Amino acid sequence: MSFTGDPAPHGGRDTLGEPHPWFESGTGTVPQQREGDAAPTAEYDDWPPHDDETVALRQISTEPGFVVPPVPEAGWDMDPSRRRTWVSRCLLGVILLVQAILSLRLHNSAFQDEALYLYAGHAEIAHLLHGTPLPIDYNAYFSGSPVLYPVLAAAVDSHFGLIGARVLSLLFMLGTSALLYSMTRRMFNERAALAAAAVFAVAQSTVVLGNFATYDAAALFLLALTTWIVVRTDRAPMAAVMLAAPTAVLAVAVKYAAALYLPTIVLLAVLSAWPHRGFRSLWRGVLLGAGVAAVGGIALYYTAVLRGVQTTTTNRAHGTDSLMTVFDFSAQWSGLVFLTACAGAWSYTRRGRMNESPLSWRLSGPGWRRRLILGLVLCGSALLAPAYQAHLQTTQSLFKHVGFGLLFAAPMAGVGLTRLVGAHFRYPQLGILLWVVLLCLGLAQSQARYAVWPDSSSLVATLKSHVDDKGHYLATAYEVPLYYLRDQTSQQQWTSTYNITYRDKKGRSHSGNDGYATAISEGYFNLVVLDGTTTKDTDAFVAAQLDKSAHYRLLAALPFRNGWGSYRIWVRTG
C-alpha cells in the first residue's frame, strides 16, 4: 500500500478525537513515503483501525434511532372472527324480533283457509287414532297433503287454540329468515346476509304468513332448509347434496306449488359449487335432481295425493283475472324488493368482490358469467309465482305465493342494499331510506290484508244456540263456523254458496241457482248465513229466494267491524 498524501479521514484524528501519530501534525494529511523508508507494516494496511471499541462506537453513531415498521395494506382482517360472528348474530336477533312484532300485531278471527285446514286436521287425527270416517276426501281438493301440516297444526290447536297454530307459523317464518341469513352469508358475506334478512322480514307476505295458520309457512321453511343444505354442502363430498332431496320432497308434499322452485334449487346446487369444482359441479345438480325424482316417485306411489296435485296445481281451473291485474298486485306486494334484487344482480355481475379490504382485490373470485347466471336465477325465481298465476288468470292466494319467490330474490336484494350503502358505510342514509320504505309498505299491506275477511266472533256467538248435529246449514264460508262449532256440527251438515247438488223430494237432481231455489222452497236448510262478499251474485239470488219464502225469517244482521258489510242470518220458521 502507498500513501498518497490525500486528506486524512476525521481531520487526522482517531475516532475518539485524539491526534493520530501517523498524521503529520497540523497538516491533516498522510505523510509521504520517503525513499529508503521501510514499508508500512500490515498492521496498518486496513485503514481505519478496527479494534472492538472503535467498531462498537462507529456502529452506535451510524444506526438510526427509530425504525418505521412495515405498514399493512389493510387495517382489518378478512377472515371470520368470533367478535364479528357474535355481532352479526345479535343484529340478526334484532331483525327476527322486529319480524315477530310485525306479525303478532295482526288480529282477526280465523280466515276461511285457516278454519278449513284446522278442521281437516282434527278430522284426520280422529281418523288416524280412532278410525273415525273422514267427512270428505281431503286428498281430492287440498293443495297440500292433508296428513302433514293440517295434522300438526290441529295438534297444536287442540292445546293452544288458533293462537297456538298461528304461533307455529311464526316459528316457521322466523326459521326461514334465519336460514336465509345463513345461506346468504355463505354465498356473499355478513353484511349482505343481514340486509337480505332485513328486507325479507318486513315484506307483506312474510308478515302475514307469520300469523296465518296455513301450510304456506311450513312449506317456505322447508324450501329454505333445502336451499341452505345445498349451499352449505358446496365444498363437502358431492354425495352430501343428496341430504337436500328428502326435505325438497317434503316441502312439495306440504304444498304442491313449492315444486315450482325445485329447478331453482337444482341450479343453485351447481352454481354454489362452481368456484370450487368447476364443471364437476354439474354432477351435483344431476344427483340432486335424480334424488328428488326418486324420493318423489316413491311418495306418489305410496300415497293418494296425485289427484289433489292435478286438481289444485297442474290441472287447476282458470279464473277470470286479467294479466295486468295479476302483475299489478305482484308489483304492489313484491315490486320494490324485486327491483332492489335486480340492482344487486347487476352490480354483482359488474364487480364480484364482496369485501372492502384491499387484500381481496388479488383474490380470484367467480367469473362474470357465473355471477350473471346466479343473478338471473335468483331474481327470475321471484317471477315464477306471478307468471304461473297469470297463466291461471287468478289472483287467489297470490299475496302468499309471492313470498316464495322473495325467499330466493332476497340474497340479491341484500347485495343491492349493501352496494347502495357503499364501502365503509359511505351512504348509510340511502340504505336506511330504502328499508324504511319497505317497512312502511309491509306494515300497510299486511294490515290491509288481515282486514280483508270479517271478524266472525259475533257470528259464532249468535249461531252457537241455533245449530246442532241434526240440522242442515247454508253459508258463504261455512268453514269458519264449522271450525269454531266443530263440537256441535259436522262438515256433512253444511253447504256452501260456491256450488250445490240438491235432490228434491221426488228424487230429481238440481244444481246451481235451481238447486238453491228448490232447497229453499222445500225448507231444506235450518239456517242460512250470507255475507255478500265472496259469491256476491249467488248471495243476492239466495237472499231474494229467502225473502219471498214463507219458510224463513231474518234472525239478525251483524255488521262487520271494518264497516263494509254485514252477516245476514235466516232461520227456518217451522
Side-chain angles (χ1 to χ4, degrees):
M1 136 178 172
S2 63
F3 296 97
T4 61
D6 295 335
H10 307 291
R13 296 177 180 271
D14 61 16
T15 55
L16 297 179
E18 298 295 333
H20 199 281
W22 280 91
F23 299 113
E24 293 183 356
S25 179
T27 64
T29 60
V30 179
Q32 300 291 331
Q33 182 180 5
R34 298 182 179 87
E35 186 177 355
D37 288 346
T41 63
E43 179 181 359
Y44 297 100
D45 284 352
D46 194 8
W47 181 260
H50 290 281
D51 57 275
D52 292 342
E53 183 178 1
T54 302
V55 172
L57 289 174
R58 288 186 61 206
Q59 289 177 347
I60 294 175
S61 62
T62 57
E63 289 183 356
F66 176 77
V67 178
V68 178
V71 179
E73 291 185 81
W76 69 95
D77 191 2
M78 293 190 303
D79 297 330
S81 64
R82 180 174 297 181
R83 176 180 177 274
R84 183 187 303 174
T85 300
W86 279 108
V87 170
S88 182
R89 288 176 180 175
C90 288
L91 292 175
L92 175 63
V94 173
I95 293 172
L96 297 181
L97 178 62
V98 171
Q99 178 181 337
I101 293 174
L102 293 180
S103 293
L104 293 175
R105 84 186 207 285
L106 302 174
H107 297 284
N108 203 343
S109 59
F111 182 60
Q112 180 180 356
D113 290 351
E114 292 180 294
L116 175 61
Y117 301 145
L118 291 175
Y119 179 84
H122 287 291
E124 290 285 354
I125 290 175
H127 176 69
L128 293 172
L129 297 181
H130 310 294
T132 305
L134 291 172
I136 193 172
D137 183 13
Y138 297 112
N139 279 315
Y141 72 101
F142 268 23
S143 55
S145 174
V147 297
L148 293 177
Y149 173 78
V151 170
L152 175 62
V156 176
D157 178 65
S158 298
H159 295 86
F160 305 102
L162 178 62
I163 294 177
R166 287 176 169 175
V167 169
L168 176 64
S169 294
L170 176 61
L171 295 178
F172 281 131
M173 293 307 297
L174 293 176
T176 301
S177 297
L179 290 170
L180 169 64
Y181 161 82
S182 181
M183 67 186 186
T184 306
R185 181 174 180 265
R186 181 79 172 184
M187 289 190 292
F188 302 111
N189 60 12
E190 290 96 341
R191 189 182 297 183
L194 290 171
V199 168
F200 182 76
V202 299
Q204 175 266 158
S205 54
T206 305
V207 175
V208 172
L209 292 180
N211 201 9
F212 208 58
T214 61
Y215 36 56
D216 298 272
L220 198 54
F221 171 77
L222 290 170
L223 277 180
L225 179 60
T226 303
T227 309
W228 177 83
I229 293 174
V230 166
V231 174
R232 189 65 181 83
T233 58
D234 58 348
R235 303 171 194 173
M238 197 169 296
V241 75
M242 294 294 290
L243 296 172
T247 57
V249 174
L250 186 59
V252 176
V254 170
K255 184 178 178 67
Y256 305 142
L260 200 63
Y261 300 92
L262 292 184
T264 298
I265 297 176
V266 172
L267 289 174
L268 282 178
V270 176
L271 294 172
S272 60
W274 189 273
H276 316 293
R277 303 178 186 271
F279 283 100
R280 290 185 301 132
S281 62
L282 294 173
W283 287 107
R284 291 188 86 226
V286 173
L287 280 176
L288 179 59
V292 171
V295 178
I298 294 173
L300 286 176
Y301 183 79
Y302 286 101
T303 61
V305 301
L306 182 59
R307 188 152 57 109
V309 173
Q310 295 172 339
T311 303
T312 64
T313 307
T314 58
N315 298 329
R316 185 169 181 166
H318 287 224
T320 58
D321 295 321
S322 66
L323 179 68
M324 290 305 301
T325 301
V326 174
F327 281 103
D328 179 50
F329 281 118
S330 301
Q332 292 180 33
W333 294 327
S334 61
L336 186 55
V337 177
F338 176 71
L339 291 177
T340 305
C342 290
W346 175 77
S347 175
Y348 182 62
T349 301
R350 292 182 65 248
R351 179 171 61 87
R353 182 170 58 88
M354 295 300 302
N355 199 297
E356 298 168 6
S357 172
L359 299 176
S360 67
W361 297 350
R362 296 191 297 268
L363 298 179
S364 58
W368 70 269
R369 292 180 180 85
R370 184 259 184 186
R371 301 198 303 268
L372 174 62
I373 296 174
L374 180 62
L376 291 175
V377 168
L378 294 178
C379 293
S381 298
L383 300 176
L384 293 178
Y388 176 66
Q389 300 216 203
H391 165 70
L392 294 177
Q393 297 179 299
T394 179
T395 59
Q396 184 178 0
S397 299
L398 180 61
F399 75 96
K400 300 183 296 182
H401 294 165
V402 294
F404 286 74
L406 292 184
L407 170 66
F408 296 96
M412 276 301 170
V415 174
L417 188 59
T418 57
R419 293 288 171 86
L420 181 65
V421 172
H424 307 290
F425 295 95
R426 182 176 300 175
Y427 306 110
Q429 66 276 15
L430 297 180
I432 294 172
L433 175 62
L434 176 59
W435 187 79
V436 169
V437 172
L438 291 171
L439 173 64
C440 292
L441 287 174
L443 286 170
Q445 292 172 352
S446 61
Q447 188 66 50
R449 171 53 51 183
Y450 232 69
V452 165
W453 69 94
D455 188 335
S456 61
S457 302
S458 59
L459 171 67
V460 173
T462 303
L463 296 183
K464 191 170 186 179
S465 58
H466 291 83
V467 299
D468 53 35
D469 58 355
K470 299 180 177 62
H472 301 95
Y473 313 108
L474 173 66
T476 302
Y478 72 81
E479 295 86 355
V480 176
L482 174 63
Y483 162 69
Y484 284 109
L485 302 173
R486 60 184 180 275
D487 294 333
Q488 299 177 232
T489 66
S490 63
Q491 191 167 358
Q492 297 95 326
Q493 298 176 255
W494 291 83
T495 303
S496 76
T497 54
Y498 287 97
N499 57 72
I500 186 175
T501 300
Y502 176 71
R503 190 172 297 276
D504 63 19
K505 295 178 180 179
K506 296 182 180 180
R508 292 174 298 187
S509 180
H510 304 266
S511 60
N513 286 344
D514 181 46
Y516 293 116
T518 305
I520 291 172
S521 65
E522 293 185 354
Y524 174 74
F525 300 113
N526 298 81
L527 180 143
V528 178
V529 180
L530 302 177
D531 60 25
T533 58
T534 308
T535 55
K536 296 181 180 180
D537 295 338
T538 303
D539 285 14
F541 177 82
V542 170
Q545 298 298 314
L546 292 168
D547 289 338
K548 67 181 183 181
S549 173
H551 295 294
Y552 297 92
R553 66 179 179 87
L554 184 65
L555 175 66
L558 308 174
F560 300 157
R561 289 186 179 179
N562 52 25
W564 48 263
S566 63
Y567 287 112
R568 290 178 294 168
I569 307 172
W570 285 266
V571 293
R572 194 171 62 188
T573 56

